[in-house]
Amino acid sequence: MSAVLPAPRTLRFRPRDGLTWFGLGCAGLFCLLAVLGPLITRAPNATSTDMLAAPSLAHPFGTDQLGRDLLARTAAGTQVSLMVSLAAVALGLLFALPLGIIAGYHGGRLLDDLIMRVLEIIQALPMFVLAMFVIGLSGTATAHLGPITITMTTKVVLLLGVAFVPYFARVARAATLAETGQEYVSALRVVGVPRVRILFGELLPNVAPAMVVQAFLAMALAIFAEGGLGFLGLGIQLPQATLGNLTGGGTGYLPAGIWWYSVLPGAVMLAGILGFNLLGDALSDSLSGRSTLKEMR
């Protein structure tokens, strides 16, 4: 039996052009600030008498209206953004992968149609609009369902995770449809290999590389969505710092020339979005055997 099974598809990520290295650097700095920033900076909520101070050696990102160090608050916000994005992508993959693989394996049949119609209903509203709608109805306060406490962070993760399910499931279904046309799948069916083994023992490893690519692209979307909700005041609330509420909170001071409050946290958020998006594009090119540089030419 092993003779008819192809080697699982793999990603070979080898940065070869400046754009990919730039994306790798942006994503690396974003993750480094999220992981190490809160450990080496001041307490994000500690106040001082240096209110709205410009960037300096003492405060590299300046301070806010309460004298809080903006580098420390940006680091804390980056950590929140990274954790929310990772959790939302993981939640979306957890539900989407089995749904997409099952739908693709039964391509064109009743079960496939049923799964995809339900996912299309969820996908009818864009992710950001859906999140705004639900948070607008439920409010930004902590909710309680009996003994379960649902914080605003949990709400954002759940909303983004649910919004990602149709996105991931469609990719998993397309990749599975391509695999089910291969001879090894027909051979496995003929010899009576259990369906669960075919789905998750043979198809899943070959679908996984495409999902890794989409996960990186979804990370960029999640950082943008979480930041956008915070910017509008519909995301995680103060005093918890996020990149979105820091950027939004500083816009009122721009006319007075206090640019650092809004621009520097916004630049960190932009670096995360660009970094993960460029990495996703590079991984996609690697999976398809293309070079990003050749595509640009």
Side-chain angles (χ1 to χ4, degrees):
M1 175 57 59
S2 58
V4 302
L5 298 180
R9 298 182 188 277
T10 58
L11 285 172
R12 293 180 177 86
F13 181 57
R14 297 174 182 172
R16 293 176 179 173
D17 61 90
L19 197 59
T20 302
W21 279 112
F22 177 71
L24 189 61
C26 286
L29 289 174
F30 185 87
C31 294
L32 197 65
L33 182 60
V35 174
L36 297 182
L39 301 177
I40 61 177
T41 57
R42 297 175 174 84
N45 291 323
T47 59
S48 70
T49 57
D50 296 327
M51 299 177 185
L52 296 174
S56 63
L57 290 176
H59 302 285
F61 277 28
T63 62
D64 67 6
Q65 73 275 22
L66 298 178
R68 295 174 295 192
D69 184 70
L70 277 173
L71 177 58
R73 291 184 65 73
T74 300
T78 305
Q79 187 176 66
V80 170
S81 182
L82 182 62
M83 295 306 296
V84 166
S85 302
L86 284 171
V89 169
L91 182 64
L93 285 171
L94 179 65
F95 289 96
L97 259 177
L99 287 175
I101 291 174
I102 292 170
Y105 186 78
H106 296 86
R109 302 176 194 169
L110 179 61
L111 184 58
D112 176 31
D113 290 338
L114 179 62
I115 292 173
M116 297 314 297
R117 297 299 83 77
V118 172
L119 294 177
E120 284 172 1
I121 293 172
I122 299 174
Q123 203 175 17
L125 281 176
M127 175 176 61
F128 194 67
V129 175
L130 176 64
M132 288 179 60
F133 176 74
V134 174
I135 292 174
L137 289 179
S138 63
T140 56
T142 299
H144 299 278
L145 293 176
I148 302 174
T149 300
I150 303 176
T151 65
M152 193 61 216
T153 303
T154 305
K155 286 184 186 180
V156 173
V157 169
L158 289 174
L159 283 170
L160 295 181
V162 170
F164 279 137
V165 170
Y167 171 72
F168 287 139
R170 295 178 76 89
V171 175
R173 176 182 179 272
T176 304
L177 279 172
E179 286 297 317
T180 53
Q182 301 296 318
E183 292 183 0
Y184 79 92
V185 177
S186 300
L188 291 171
R189 288 169 173 166
V190 168
V191 298
V193 174
R195 185 175 302 176
V196 173
R197 161 82 186 280
I198 297 175
L199 291 174
F200 301 107
E202 305 299 339
L203 290 175
L204 178 59
N206 288 308
V207 171
M211 302 311 299
V212 171
V213 172
Q214 299 306 314
F216 274 90
L217 296 173
M219 283 289 296
L221 286 173
I223 293 170
F224 170 77
E226 188 277 327
L229 290 171
F231 183 88
L232 295 173
L234 295 174
I236 300 166
Q237 300 295 295
L238 296 170
Q240 172 66 65
T242 70
L243 295 177
N245 63 34
L246 287 175
T247 304
T251 54
Y253 297 96
L254 286 174
I258 303 172
W259 54 270
W260 56 88
Y261 193 159
S262 180
V263 170
L264 295 179
V268 172
M269 180 167 62
L270 181 61
I273 295 170
L274 275 175
F276 284 107
N277 197 31
L278 290 173
L279 284 180
D281 286 341
L283 286 169
S284 178
D285 292 338
S286 172
L287 186 63
S288 61
R290 297 194 306 266
S291 164
T292 303
L293 190 58
K294 289 179 181 178
E295 287 284 307
M296 292 176 66
R297 290 175 180 174

